[in-house]
Amino acid sequence: MAGCWFLVFLFFAQGCGPRYTYPANTVVDSIEKISRKEYGLDVQARVVGKTVGAVFYMPLILDESGQV
């Protein structure tokens, strides 16, 4: 019976480790490419420490009716 619980524990414990699914050296380029291709935005991305940020500039954020 104890062996059964141990197998259940192993099944759920396998997802707890830090398995990264995206290579860190391609994150900035990928964010910029995806933003340009999917959304038509010219984005500048940067990684600082463990944080990634993306900036894009808009010449006008309000439309003709004053809505964002």
Side-chain angles (χ1 to χ4, degrees):
M1 185 69 172
C4 181
W5 287 109
F6 182 72
L7 290 176
V8 171
F9 171 75
L10 284 180
F11 177 77
F12 287 108
Q14 68 181 351
C16 296
R19 292 188 296 175
Y20 303 108
T21 59
Y22 212 85
N25 59 345
T26 63
V27 170
V28 172
D29 292 332
S30 296
I31 290 173
E32 291 174 354
K33 284 180 185 176
I34 291 170
S35 298
R36 195 174 310 114
K37 181 180 175 184
E38 299 290 326
Y39 304 108
L41 297 174
D42 186 27
V43 171
Q44 296 174 352
R46 191 170 94 173
V47 176
V48 178
K50 293 185 177 184
T51 305
V52 64
V55 175
F56 68 98
Y57 298 97
M58 296 180 63
L60 184 63
I61 62 171
L62 300 177
D63 62 6
E64 296 82 24
S65 64
Q67 298 296 317
V68 176

